[in-house]
Amino acid sequence: TNVDRVPIAFVALDDDDGIVGTASLIFDDLEGDPRNPWLASVYVPPEHRKKGIASLLVRAVEDAARRIGYGRLYLFTS
């Protein structure tokens, strides 16, 4: 498993091992933009929202970035 370099993908599972959310730490989320790394692909299906899953996933990405040595993350949303 890749836990010490980018990219890293996180998947939240429920008690039955069903996927209830995702988030990633990546490079080059915006073509031509020199800022890195990026918090990306945060998604929780509607039926699993309002349970704190996205917050836990974002925290996992933040912790991974810190562990690797990044003091700043970027995020782009449309």
Side-chain angles (χ1 to χ4, degrees):
T1 60
N2 182 30
V3 297
D4 61 351
R5 60 190 165 93
V6 176
I8 302 174
F10 294 87
V11 177
L13 303 175
D14 64 13
D15 292 337
D16 298 320
D17 291 333
I19 296 173
V20 295
T22 64
S24 298
L25 176 65
I26 66 169
F27 276 115
D28 301 323
D29 199 29
L30 291 175
E31 187 175 330
D33 192 315
R35 296 173 293 181
N36 282 301
W38 294 83
L39 166 63
S41 305
V42 178
Y43 181 75
V44 174
E47 63 272 19
H48 295 288
R49 293 179 185 166
K50 306 290 185 197
K51 299 177 184 177
I53 296 168
S55 295
L56 291 172
L57 286 164
V58 169
R59 193 168 309 123
V61 171
E62 291 171 335
D63 290 345
R66 236 182 262 103
R67 184 177 64 249
I68 295 170
Y70 296 106
R72 181 177 300 204
L73 278 175
Y74 295 93
L75 172 68
F76 174 80
T77 62
S78 57

